[in-house]
Amino acid sequence: MRVAIVHYHLEPGGVTRVIENTLESFSQELESPQFVVLTGRKYPGDKIKNVQIVEGLDYSSPTNSISPSVLKERLEKAAKVGLGGKPDIWHIHNHSLGKNASLTKAVALLAEDANPMLLHPHDFAEDGRPSNFSALKEIYSSAYPSSSTVHYATLNHRDHTFLKKVFSTKASPVHLLANAISIPSAAQEVNTLPFPELPDNLFLYPVRAVRRKNLGELALIAASYPEKHFANSLGPTNPEFQPIFKRWAQFCNEINLPVTFALGEKTSVSFPEMVDHAEGILSTSIAEGFGLGFLEPWMSGKFLWGRNIPEITQDFSSLGINLNHLYQRININLEHLQNKGSLTSKIQTTLEKFFLEYQQEMPSNATDIAYQSMVQNDQVDFGRLDEVLQEEIILSISKSTEARDEIRSQVKLERIDSEIILKNKESINENFAPKSYTTKLKHIYEMILDSKQDQYEYAHGEHLLDSFLSPARLNLLRT
């Protein structure tokens, strides 16, 4: 079996790690497929041995993209060079993300020529990325090719559910293929002694700062647990988020909250050592693609606290990973807002902007739907507010012992159950180890090759947009 894996680039990050882990795991198999990886720019790593650079495959705007037919020809040529012949399967990551409309159309052209393929979206232009969606405007009708030999694989239950709706009357099967995670060696799992330069009672949020990581909630919890210390690991690389990140650091310093931002950039202690030192791991993220942060802490022998994202984690829970102690909302009484009407106004303004950017008609009751999903019994979920409203609430709560105790009743940090750590670790080893992933992926490849070729057609991506653009899903941190 010859497989051509395609991605815009192989820079360090989630998709690159997935590809590297896939190839490494398959290399342990006696009957491994033959792989080539096609990419648009030079690979800076050394784990992938068979790489072909394809000019025009990298990120590009509609104004500087090459012809889709030319890109298709280049992909086919590079695949033959790397594999010694035509691929049996094309495995293409994020083809419809809107980072290069020519790739989206080139994939459609490959489908027209009856090439068996696995399309593997990690992220979606329809999910809060209106500029990406706009880049696909001219070719969106062919963004989701379908036939019995064109399969799709999703990372989580939410995406699987949404895509199944898109292909409910089409021939393309949709598979759930959760990412593999790295399993630490025994040596990596040995805890070290505490590091004097790190804060005592540390709760570590091991993420690079981006807006959806919800740093305001980290500050809220810190305001409610002054006897602990909280920190995220890295600052942002995206310059657009720098002002917000710096504002949170300044705000927490001004009101003397026990929070350190970008702790990993202020110490010589390594990341594994920071994890070992921490009393526990915390997550306040409000949106994830796969949800690696819900799995990795247990593999390091650490208990995880914080916010659950059920549409992502229900796959984990169904496999025996216990996340029942995580909260789904932090309910804040509306009296902590200086102007309750400001919330309704922001919701309406945000929805109008979103629907306009996606060139969709906004439902007449959209604002009410969004408000009712965010506010229940005169209490709003803190994690669905923007930074301005979050600051306002933190200032109010920090002045009230009763309000802080109410937060503590919802965010319980005192529970450490070693039995949960052990059982979760066993479940993760069983279900998310690289070998389990490659077994599932190989089975999907075989299903594609065993499928009888039929006529291709296109699914309506608008159904996917309807799912993601639902007012009930609105979060002001994702605007």
Side-chain angles (χ1 to χ4, degrees):
M1 184 191 307
R2 294 183 291 205
V3 181
I5 297 178
V6 180
H7 189 242
Y8 307 101
H9 63 77
L10 293 174
E11 297 295 327
V15 177
T16 299
R17 189 172 8 164
V18 168
I19 295 172
E20 290 173 339
N21 289 345
T22 298
L23 299 187
E24 183 178 2
S25 184
F26 266 119
S27 69
Q28 310 301 319
E29 301 283 332
L30 291 177
E31 296 183 7
S32 171
Q34 180 185 355
F35 290 97
V36 64
V37 180
L38 311 184
T39 184
R41 67 182 85 154
K42 185 178 179 181
Y43 173 48
D46 57 9
K47 292 184 178 180
I48 304 174
K49 305 305 179 184
N50 190 5
V51 177
Q52 294 289 321
I53 308 298
V54 178
E55 186 179 353
L57 177 55
D58 202 350
Y59 292 164
S60 64
S61 67
T63 57
N64 61 14
S65 294
I66 67 170
S67 161
S69 59
V70 171
L71 180 57
K72 171 182 175 286
E73 292 172 3
R74 290 177 180 176
L75 288 168
E76 291 173 323
K77 181 178 179 180
K80 288 180 181 178
V81 170
L83 295 171
K86 182 180 179 181
D88 297 304
I89 292 175
W90 292 85
H91 184 164
I92 304 173
H93 293 269
N94 270 345
H95 82 286
S96 59
L97 183 56
K99 291 289 190 179
N100 183 340
S102 289
L103 175 62
T104 307
K105 185 61 179 180
V107 168
L109 296 176
L110 286 169
E112 284 184 23
D113 287 351
N115 285 282
M117 61 178 66
L118 176 64
L119 301 180
H120 197 166
H122 299 246
D123 304 287
F124 295 87
E126 296 86 353
D127 183 19
R129 297 175 176 86
S131 60
N132 291 30
F133 186 79
S134 178
L136 297 174
K137 182 178 179 180
E138 300 301 323
I139 51 90
Y140 191 64
S141 61
S142 55
Y144 293 99
S146 176
S147 79
S148 59
T149 56
V150 176
H151 291 218
Y152 288 76
T154 65
L155 305 186
N156 58 61
H157 180 85
R158 177 202 65 198
D159 297 347
H160 186 255
T161 300
F162 287 178
L163 269 187
K164 288 278 283 187
K165 290 180 182 178
V166 174
F167 291 97
S168 61
T169 61
K170 306 299 180 184
S172 287
V174 181
H175 306 276
L176 181 61
L177 182 66
N179 288 339
I181 74 165
S182 299
I183 305 299
S185 66
Q188 290 175 299
E189 295 178 34
V190 176
N191 287 344
T192 63
L193 294 174
F195 292 88
E197 65 184 277
L198 295 178
D200 293 331
N201 305 318
L202 175 64
F203 280 77
L204 181 67
Y205 188 10
V207 294
R208 182 175 295 282
V210 295
R211 200 172 184 218
R212 63 182 170 84
K213 297 301 182 180
N214 189 16
L215 295 183
E217 196 156 293
L218 186 68
L220 174 74
I221 296 171
S224 305
Y225 282 92
E227 73 276 18
K228 308 290 187 182
H229 195 95
F230 301 84
N232 88 295
S233 50
L234 296 171
T237 55
N238 186 342
E240 292 184 6
F241 189 64
Q242 282 287 352
I244 296 175
F245 179 71
K246 290 177 180 178
R247 174 56 194 157
W248 276 124
Q250 179 184 349
F251 173 81
C252 291
N253 183 59
E254 288 172 351
I255 63 173
N256 198 30
L257 295 184
V259 184
T260 300
F261 292 103
L263 177 63
E265 299 169 7
K266 299 174 181 176
T267 176
S268 60
V269 175
S270 70
F271 176 72
E273 290 170 338
M274 282 196 295
V275 172
D276 284 339
H277 175 89
E279 181 178 337
I281 304 301
L282 188 70
S283 175
T284 58
S285 176
I286 49 90
E288 293 295 328
F290 168 56
L292 190 63
F294 292 100
L295 302 179
E296 286 187 328
W298 311 104
M299 301 309 297
S300 299
K302 293 293 179 177
F303 204 85
L304 172 69
W305 284 269
R307 177 176 286 271
N308 202 348
I309 310 176
E311 64 182 17
I312 302 298
T313 63
Q314 61 181 288
D315 300 326
F316 307 155
S317 299
S318 67
L319 295 171
I321 299 166
N322 186 345
L323 301 173
N324 294 336
H325 56 284
L326 302 180
Y327 59 84
Q328 296 184 29
R329 295 170 58 96
I330 296 183
N331 287 312
I332 304 293
N333 197 299
L334 291 176
E335 68 184 14
H336 290 291
L337 291 177
Q338 296 176 14
N339 179 5
K340 297 179 184 179
S342 64
L343 177 57
T344 303
S345 177
K346 282 196 175 187
I347 289 173
Q348 181 164 339
T349 301
T350 301
L351 286 171
E352 288 173 349
K353 177 175 177 288
F354 245 42
F355 278 86
L356 179 63
E357 288 177 331
Y358 274 106
Q359 299 181 5
Q360 300 293 306
E361 184 175 350
M362 188 171 110
S364 58
N365 60 343
T367 299
D368 185 56
I369 291 172
Y371 184 89
Q372 294 300 327
S373 70
M374 295 171 68
V375 179
Q376 298 176 6
N377 299 319
D378 288 327
Q379 294 180 314
V380 64
D381 180 11
F382 184 88
R384 297 181 70 176
L385 302 175
D386 65 11
E387 292 84 359
V388 173
L389 295 177
Q390 287 186 342
E391 279 193 19
E392 190 177 309
I393 288 170
I394 294 170
L395 283 172
S396 176
I397 283 178
S398 64
K399 299 172 184 175
S400 167
T401 301
E402 183 181 352
R404 292 197 301 271
D405 288 345
E406 174 58 28
I407 301 301
R408 291 171 75 112
S409 72
Q410 298 182 68
V411 184
K412 300 179 175 69
L413 297 185
E414 71 276 3
R415 177 182 178 183
I416 301 177
D417 190 330
S418 58
E419 188 67 19
I420 290 179
I421 296 176
L422 180 61
K423 289 183 177 180
N424 281 354
K425 192 173 183 178
E426 290 174 350
S427 295
I428 293 166
N429 261 318
E430 180 180 351
N431 294 288
F432 295 97
K435 182 172 179 57
S436 175
Y437 178 85
T438 50
T439 298
K440 295 174 186 175
L441 181 56
K442 188 174 182 180
H443 179 63
I444 293 172
Y445 285 165
E446 290 169 349
M447 288 178 64
I448 295 172
L449 293 179
D450 290 343
S451 297
K452 184 178 179 181
Q453 177 61 47
D454 59 9
Q455 187 174 2
Y456 77 94
E457 57 182 332
Y458 294 103
H460 296 292
E462 289 82 2
H463 296 317
L464 187 61
L465 182 59
D466 289 342
S467 294
F468 277 116
L469 205 53
S470 167
R473 295 178 54 81
L474 179 68
N475 188 303
L476 297 178
L477 287 177
R478 300 210 71 196
T479 58

